[in-house]
PDB file of all heavy atoms in Angstrom:
ATOM      1  N   LEU A 277      -4.992  13.837   3.249  1.00 90.00           N
ATOM      2  CA  LEU A 277      -3.751  14.498   2.822  1.00 90.00           C
ATOM      3  C   LEU A 277      -2.568  14.155   3.724  1.00 90.00           C
ATOM      4  O   LEU A 277      -1.440  14.563   3.449  1.00 90.00           O
ATOM      5  CB  LEU A 277      -3.936  16.020   2.823  1.00 90.00           C
ATOM      6  CG  LEU A 277      -4.758  16.617   1.690  1.00 90.00           C
ATOM      7  CD1 LEU A 277      -4.993  18.101   1.942  1.00 90.00           C
ATOM      8  CD2 LEU A 277      -4.067  16.421   0.351  1.00 90.00           C
ATOM      9  N   ALA A 278      -2.816  13.454   4.825  1.00 92.00           N
ATOM     10  CA  ALA A 278      -1.718  13.104   5.725  1.00 92.00           C
ATOM     11  C   ALA A 278      -0.745  12.174   5.006  1.00 92.00           C
ATOM     12  O   ALA A 278      -1.142  11.375   4.164  1.00 92.00           O
ATOM     13  CB  ALA A 278      -2.257  12.433   6.979  1.00 92.00           C
ATOM     14  N   CYS A 279       0.511  12.291   5.355  1.00 94.00           N
ATOM     15  CA  CYS A 279       1.549  11.538   4.650  1.00 94.00           C
ATOM     16  C   CYS A 279       2.296  10.639   5.617  1.00 94.00           C
ATOM     17  O   CYS A 279       2.749  11.093   6.660  1.00 94.00           O
ATOM     18  CB  CYS A 279       2.509  12.526   3.995  1.00 94.00           C
ATOM     19  SG  CYS A 279       3.866  11.739   3.157  1.00 94.00           S
ATOM     20  N   SER A 280       2.401   9.366   5.269  1.00 96.00           N
ATOM     21  CA  SER A 280       3.100   8.387   6.105  1.00 96.00           C
ATOM     22  C   SER A 280       4.263   7.824   5.304  1.00 96.00           C
ATOM     23  O   SER A 280       4.062   7.253   4.229  1.00 96.00           O
ATOM     24  CB  SER A 280       2.143   7.260   6.510  1.00 96.00           C
ATOM     25  OG  SER A 280       1.020   7.786   7.183  1.00 96.00           O
ATOM     26  N   ILE A 281       5.459   7.978   5.826  1.00 97.00           N
ATOM     27  CA  ILE A 281       6.665   7.568   5.103  1.00 97.00           C
ATOM     28  C   ILE A 281       7.426   6.548   5.938  1.00 97.00           C
ATOM     29  O   ILE A 281       7.671   6.780   7.122  1.00 97.00           O
ATOM     30  CB  ILE A 281       7.595   8.785   4.846  1.00 97.00           C
ATOM     31  CG1 ILE A 281       6.849   9.884   4.072  1.00 97.00           C
ATOM     32  CG2 ILE A 281       8.854   8.359   4.111  1.00 97.00           C
ATOM     33  CD1 ILE A 281       7.630  11.193   3.977  1.00 97.00           C
ATOM     34  N   LEU A 282       7.791   5.452   5.320  1.00 97.00           N
ATOM     35  CA  LEU A 282       8.624   4.452   5.987  1.00 97.00           C
ATOM     36  C   LEU A 282       9.987   4.389   5.312  1.00 97.00           C
ATOM     37  O   LEU A 282      10.066   4.196   4.095  1.00 97.00           O
ATOM     38  CB  LEU A 282       7.945   3.071   5.914  1.00 97.00           C
ATOM     39  CG  LEU A 282       8.784   1.887   6.428  1.00 97.00           C
ATOM     40  CD1 LEU A 282       9.044   2.007   7.927  1.00 97.00           C
ATOM     41  CD2 LEU A 282       8.098   0.555   6.106  1.00 97.00           C
ATOM     42  N   LEU A 283      11.025   4.560   6.102  1.00 97.00           N
ATOM     43  CA  LEU A 283      12.387   4.355   5.611  1.00 97.00           C
ATOM     44  C   LEU A 283      12.984   3.190   6.383  1.00 97.00           C
ATOM     45  O   LEU A 283      12.967   3.191   7.612  1.00 97.00           O
ATOM     46  CB  LEU A 283      13.258   5.606   5.844  1.00 97.00           C
ATOM     47  CG  LEU A 283      12.766   6.951   5.324  1.00 97.00           C
ATOM     48  CD1 LEU A 283      13.837   8.019   5.571  1.00 97.00           C
ATOM     49  CD2 LEU A 283      12.436   6.886   3.843  1.00 97.00           C
ATOM     50  N   THR A 284      13.477   2.217   5.660  1.00 97.00           N
ATOM     51  CA  THR A 284      14.082   1.071   6.333  1.00 97.00           C
ATOM     52  C   THR A 284      15.260   0.564   5.518  1.00 97.00           C
ATOM     53  O   THR A 284      15.365   0.845   4.326  1.00 97.00           O
ATOM     54  CB  THR A 284      13.046  -0.055   6.553  1.00 97.00           C
ATOM     55  OG1 THR A 284      13.678  -1.145   7.224  1.00 97.00           O
ATOM     56  CG2 THR A 284      12.462  -0.546   5.238  1.00 97.00           C
ATOM     57  N   THR A 285      16.107  -0.157   6.193  1.00 95.00           N
ATOM     58  CA  THR A 285      17.252  -0.764   5.514  1.00 95.00           C
ATOM     59  C   THR A 285      16.938  -2.209   5.108  1.00 95.00           C
ATOM     60  O   THR A 285      17.761  -2.851   4.465  1.00 95.00           O
ATOM     61  CB  THR A 285      18.470  -0.764   6.460  1.00 95.00           C
ATOM     62  OG1 THR A 285      18.066  -1.339   7.712  1.00 95.00           O
ATOM     63  CG2 THR A 285      18.983   0.644   6.704  1.00 95.00           C
ATOM     64  N   GLU A 286      15.749  -2.695   5.501  1.00 93.00           N
ATOM     65  CA  GLU A 286      15.438  -4.114   5.359  1.00 93.00           C
ATOM     66  C   GLU A 286      14.307  -4.352   4.374  1.00 93.00           C
ATOM     67  O   GLU A 286      13.154  -4.023   4.660  1.00 93.00           O
ATOM     68  CB  GLU A 286      15.024  -4.697   6.719  1.00 93.00           C
ATOM     69  CG  GLU A 286      15.978  -4.408   7.860  1.00 93.00           C
ATOM     70  CD  GLU A 286      17.365  -4.997   7.635  1.00 93.00           C
ATOM     71  OE1 GLU A 286      17.450  -6.156   7.180  1.00 93.00           O
ATOM     72  OE2 GLU A 286      18.358  -4.279   7.904  1.00 93.00           O
ATOM     73  N   GLU A 287      14.593  -4.974   3.272  1.00 95.00           N
ATOM     74  CA  GLU A 287      13.592  -5.292   2.255  1.00 95.00           C
ATOM     75  C   GLU A 287      12.466  -6.176   2.829  1.00 95.00           C
ATOM     76  O   GLU A 287      11.280  -5.896   2.624  1.00 95.00           O
ATOM     77  CB  GLU A 287      14.280  -6.000   1.079  1.00 95.00           C
ATOM     78  CG  GLU A 287      13.377  -6.407  -0.054  1.00 95.00           C
ATOM     79  CD  GLU A 287      12.647  -5.240  -0.697  1.00 95.00           C
ATOM     80  OE1 GLU A 287      13.294  -4.203  -0.960  1.00 95.00           O
ATOM     81  OE2 GLU A 287      11.420  -5.358  -0.915  1.00 95.00           O
ATOM     82  N   ALA A 288      12.865  -7.199   3.587  1.00 96.00           N
ATOM     83  CA  ALA A 288      11.861  -8.121   4.134  1.00 96.00           C
ATOM     84  C   ALA A 288      10.924  -7.387   5.094  1.00 96.00           C
ATOM     85  O   ALA A 288       9.707  -7.600   5.101  1.00 96.00           O
ATOM     86  CB  ALA A 288      12.552  -9.284   4.856  1.00 96.00           C
ATOM     87  N   PHE A 289      11.512  -6.522   5.897  1.00 97.00           N
ATOM     88  CA  PHE A 289      10.721  -5.733   6.845  1.00 97.00           C
ATOM     89  C   PHE A 289       9.694  -4.877   6.109  1.00 97.00           C
ATOM     90  O   PHE A 289       8.520  -4.791   6.501  1.00 97.00           O
ATOM     91  CB  PHE A 289      11.667  -4.853   7.680  1.00 97.00           C
ATOM     92  CG  PHE A 289      10.961  -3.986   8.673  1.00 97.00           C
ATOM     93  CD1 PHE A 289      10.620  -4.472   9.931  1.00 97.00           C
ATOM     94  CD2 PHE A 289      10.639  -2.669   8.376  1.00 97.00           C
ATOM     95  CE1 PHE A 289       9.966  -3.675  10.849  1.00 97.00           C
ATOM     96  CE2 PHE A 289       9.984  -1.862   9.285  1.00 97.00           C
ATOM     97  CZ  PHE A 289       9.643  -2.368  10.529  1.00 97.00           C
ATOM     98  N   ALA A 290      10.132  -4.262   5.031  1.00 97.00           N
ATOM     99  CA  ALA A 290       9.230  -3.417   4.241  1.00 97.00           C
ATOM    100  C   ALA A 290       8.013  -4.210   3.784  1.00 97.00           C
ATOM    101  O   ALA A 290       6.874  -3.754   3.885  1.00 97.00           O
ATOM    102  CB  ALA A 290       9.987  -2.834   3.046  1.00 97.00           C
ATOM    103  N   GLU A 291       8.254  -5.422   3.330  1.00 97.00           N
ATOM    104  CA  GLU A 291       7.143  -6.253   2.859  1.00 97.00           C
ATOM    105  C   GLU A 291       6.197  -6.630   3.995  1.00 97.00           C
ATOM    106  O   GLU A 291       4.970  -6.636   3.825  1.00 97.00           O
ATOM    107  CB  GLU A 291       7.679  -7.520   2.173  1.00 97.00           C
ATOM    108  CG  GLU A 291       8.214  -7.259   0.774  1.00 97.00           C
ATOM    109  CD  GLU A 291       7.234  -6.456  -0.094  1.00 97.00           C
ATOM    110  OE1 GLU A 291       6.029  -6.768  -0.092  1.00 97.00           O
ATOM    111  OE2 GLU A 291       7.677  -5.479  -0.748  1.00 97.00           O
ATOM    112  N   GLN A 292       6.788  -6.916   5.148  1.00 97.00           N
ATOM    113  CA  GLN A 292       5.942  -7.253   6.307  1.00 97.00           C
ATOM    114  C   GLN A 292       5.053  -6.075   6.708  1.00 97.00           C
ATOM    115  O   GLN A 292       3.895  -6.247   7.068  1.00 97.00           O
ATOM    116  CB  GLN A 292       6.824  -7.676   7.494  1.00 97.00           C
ATOM    117  CG  GLN A 292       7.488  -9.027   7.314  1.00 97.00           C
ATOM    118  CD  GLN A 292       8.503  -9.282   8.420  1.00 97.00           C
ATOM    119  OE1 GLN A 292       9.453  -8.517   8.588  1.00 97.00           O
ATOM    120  NE2 GLN A 292       8.307 -10.358   9.166  1.00 97.00           N
ATOM    121  N   VAL A 293       5.602  -4.879   6.643  1.00 98.00           N
ATOM    122  CA  VAL A 293       4.811  -3.693   6.989  1.00 98.00           C
ATOM    123  C   VAL A 293       3.667  -3.526   5.993  1.00 98.00           C
ATOM    124  O   VAL A 293       2.521  -3.255   6.383  1.00 98.00           O
ATOM    125  CB  VAL A 293       5.694  -2.422   7.034  1.00 98.00           C
ATOM    126  CG1 VAL A 293       4.830  -1.164   7.206  1.00 98.00           C
ATOM    127  CG2 VAL A 293       6.714  -2.518   8.160  1.00 98.00           C
ATOM    128  N   GLN A 294       3.946  -3.725   4.737  1.00 97.00           N
ATOM    129  CA  GLN A 294       2.887  -3.603   3.725  1.00 97.00           C
ATOM    130  C   GLN A 294       1.727  -4.547   4.050  1.00 97.00           C
ATOM    131  O   GLN A 294       0.556  -4.175   3.975  1.00 97.00           O
ATOM    132  CB  GLN A 294       3.424  -3.942   2.314  1.00 97.00           C
ATOM    133  CG  GLN A 294       4.528  -3.028   1.797  1.00 97.00           C
ATOM    134  CD  GLN A 294       3.995  -1.752   1.137  1.00 97.00           C
ATOM    135  OE1 GLN A 294       3.044  -1.164   1.616  1.00 97.00           O
ATOM    136  NE2 GLN A 294       4.645  -1.317   0.065  1.00 97.00           N
ATOM    137  N   GLU A 295       2.062  -5.772   4.425  1.00 97.00           N
ATOM    138  CA  GLU A 295       1.029  -6.746   4.791  1.00 97.00           C
ATOM    139  C   GLU A 295       0.232  -6.267   6.001  1.00 97.00           C
ATOM    140  O   GLU A 295      -0.999  -6.329   6.022  1.00 97.00           O
ATOM    141  CB  GLU A 295       1.689  -8.101   5.125  1.00 97.00           C
ATOM    142  CG  GLU A 295       1.957  -8.965   3.919  1.00 97.00           C
ATOM    143  CD  GLU A 295       0.727  -9.112   3.039  1.00 97.00           C
ATOM    144  OE1 GLU A 295      -0.303  -9.610   3.525  1.00 97.00           O
ATOM    145  OE2 GLU A 295       0.797  -8.689   1.857  1.00 97.00           O
ATOM    146  N   GLU A 296       0.967  -5.810   7.007  1.00 97.00           N
ATOM    147  CA  GLU A 296       0.331  -5.369   8.246  1.00 97.00           C
ATOM    148  C   GLU A 296      -0.599  -4.178   8.015  1.00 97.00           C
ATOM    149  O   GLU A 296      -1.614  -4.030   8.695  1.00 97.00           O
ATOM    150  CB  GLU A 296       1.403  -4.987   9.283  1.00 97.00           C
ATOM    151  CG  GLU A 296       1.903  -6.158  10.094  1.00 97.00           C
ATOM    152  CD  GLU A 296       0.806  -6.789  10.938  1.00 97.00           C
ATOM    153  OE1 GLU A 296      -0.098  -6.071  11.415  1.00 97.00           O
ATOM    154  OE2 GLU A 296       0.843  -8.025  11.097  1.00 97.00           O
TER     155      GLU A 296
END
Side-chain angles (χ1 to χ4, degrees):
Chain A
L277 285 173
C279 178
S280 303
I281 303 171
L282 173 65
L283 306 184
T284 181
T285 51
E286 309 298 317
E287 179 60 45
F289 179 85
E291 284 311 315
Q292 289 171 301
V293 172
Q294 298 275 40
E295 275 309 301
E296 274 297 326

